[in-house]
Amino acid sequence: MLQQIIAYIKFLKRSTNQHGVHSPFVYNLITKCFYDKSKYNKYKEIASYRKALRKSKDTINVIDLGSGSRVFKTSQRSVSKMVQKVGASKKESKLLFRLVNYLQINTILELGTSLGIATHAMAVANPEIKMTSIEGCPNISAYTKGTLGQFNLKNTEILTGDFNDAIKPLALNKYDLIYFDGNHQKQATLDYFETLLTTTTNDSFFIFDDIYWSKEMTEAWEIIKKHPQVTVTIDTFFLGFVFFRKEQKKEHFKIRI
């Protein structure tokens, strides 16, 4: 926790807003998407999904395949507490929705479905989107499939299994967006990144959740930024965005949102 506090103080000192951003693509992304204050009707659907989970009395026996939880001490976890402690925040959910909407995303791969809060937020942006999400814990996967089904979400497929195994056949596909939010270990993050580079096009982008979750995750983020195929990165502290646009010069931004 102390490491995150120090990292956040440093981030605030070094970050900025759209001012001083000379790349038209990044400037427009910040001003027209990150800072978009529109009251989208779909926000009500996103809020309803979160509310249903928050009011749930259910518990799930969680099998952690990644780095484990810093919040929960036992494997038996309350759904309502999971929403509060480990689910995508309201702010993040709305941002993910806006990103899919603004960049006209058609295909999404998500590593780490959890309770489907981020999954739902991205999928409702467009019913024509093809969304694939992978969850390692079979109990969470089954629960979330049922919950998403209650909300009539038909454009999303949830796969269950270890990421290492699940992503190998998927690496043959092409994705507009890949959202990494399931294993916050350095080497695992780098391995998934390298494996899924084959799925990118010039307009694809990756999002990494919790890039300051630990010293190791921050090290992984710094390595990813230096990769020769990466051109632009945007660090918002909680989320890290990676772009592969060949027409862009290599630049790294720290943006407050």
Side-chain angles (χ1 to χ4, degrees):
M1 183 60 73
L2 179 60
Q3 180 264 338
Q4 286 182 311
I5 294 171
I6 294 171
Y8 189 59
I9 293 170
K10 290 180 179 179
F11 171 83
L12 290 176
K13 289 180 179 179
R14 298 170 183 171
S15 59
T16 184
N17 51 25
Q18 74 271 27
H19 300 296
V21 175
H22 301 295
S23 162
F25 170 77
V26 177
Y27 181 86
N28 287 333
L29 181 66
I30 295 169
T31 56
K32 297 180 180 180
C33 179
F34 285 11
Y35 295 163
D36 181 5
K37 302 301 182 184
S38 303
K39 305 292 184 182
Y40 291 96
N41 288 331
K42 293 287 185 178
Y43 283 173
K44 295 177 182 177
E45 293 183 36
I46 295 171
S48 294
Y49 187 85
R50 177 185 295 276
K51 184 178 180 181
L53 292 170
R54 197 175 63 242
K55 294 176 71 174
S56 172
K57 304 297 183 184
D58 298 326
T59 60
I60 302 175
N61 185 30
V62 177
I63 301 168
D64 278 315
L65 300 181
S67 52
S69 174
R70 289 178 172 175
V71 177
F72 297 99
K73 304 304 180 186
T74 65
S75 60
Q76 199 71 22
R77 299 173 192 173
S78 158
V79 168
S80 60
K81 289 285 180 63
M82 289 173 68
V83 173
Q84 297 174 31
K85 301 296 184 180
V86 299
S89 68
K90 293 179 182 178
K91 185 176 182 179
E92 288 173 349
S93 297
K94 290 179 179 180
L95 175 58
L96 290 170
F97 167 84
R98 292 197 304 273
L99 280 161
V100 172
N101 186 59
Y102 175 74
L103 292 172
Q104 299 182 329
I105 299 303
N106 294 309
T107 52
I108 303 172
L109 174 62
E110 177 185 39
L111 274 61
T113 317
S114 189
L115 295 174
I117 296 173
T119 317
H120 177 269
M122 291 186 283
V124 297
N126 183 347
E128 300 302 317
I129 287 171
K130 184 178 179 182
M131 175 102 178
T132 302
S133 186
I134 308 171
E135 173 54 45
C137 173
N139 297 330
I140 293 179
S141 180
Y143 186 87
T144 302
K145 284 179 184 178
T147 308
L148 291 173
Q150 292 173 22
F151 280 77
N152 202 33
L153 201 64
K154 298 179 179 179
N155 60 349
T156 300
E157 177 186 22
I158 298 180
L159 306 178
T160 308
D162 185 275
F163 293 169
N164 287 311
D165 300 324
I167 65 175
K168 287 176 182 176
L170 300 178
L172 300 173
N173 300 332
K174 294 296 181 184
Y175 293 100
D176 297 327
L177 163 60
I178 300 183
Y179 181 44
F180 298 77
D181 184 26
N183 187 333
H184 296 90
Q185 297 180 89
K186 177 182 177 179
Q187 195 54 53
T189 299
L190 294 174
D191 289 345
Y192 304 151
F193 169 74
E194 290 285 352
T195 299
L196 292 170
L197 277 175
T198 59
T199 70
T200 61
T201 67
N202 192 64
D203 296 322
S204 299
F205 70 106
F206 291 174
I207 303 176
F208 291 88
D209 187 73
D210 285 334
I211 55 176
Y212 291 98
W213 190 83
S214 66
K215 182 181 177 182
E216 279 202 345
M217 268 302 292
T218 305
E219 289 172 355
W221 172 246
E222 291 299 324
I223 291 170
I224 289 167
K225 285 167 59 177
K226 295 173 183 176
H227 193 279
Q229 286 181 238
V230 172
T231 53
V232 171
T233 67
I234 302 175
D235 173 354
T236 67
F237 190 77
F238 299 104
L239 298 173
F241 300 82
V242 174
F243 295 88
F244 305 93
R245 295 163 56 87
K246 293 182 175 63
E247 65 271 27
Q248 303 275 152
K249 70 175 183 178
K250 199 171 185 75
E251 286 187 283
H252 307 295
F253 301 91
K254 290 181 182 289
I255 302 295
R256 294 188 295 272
I257 59 174

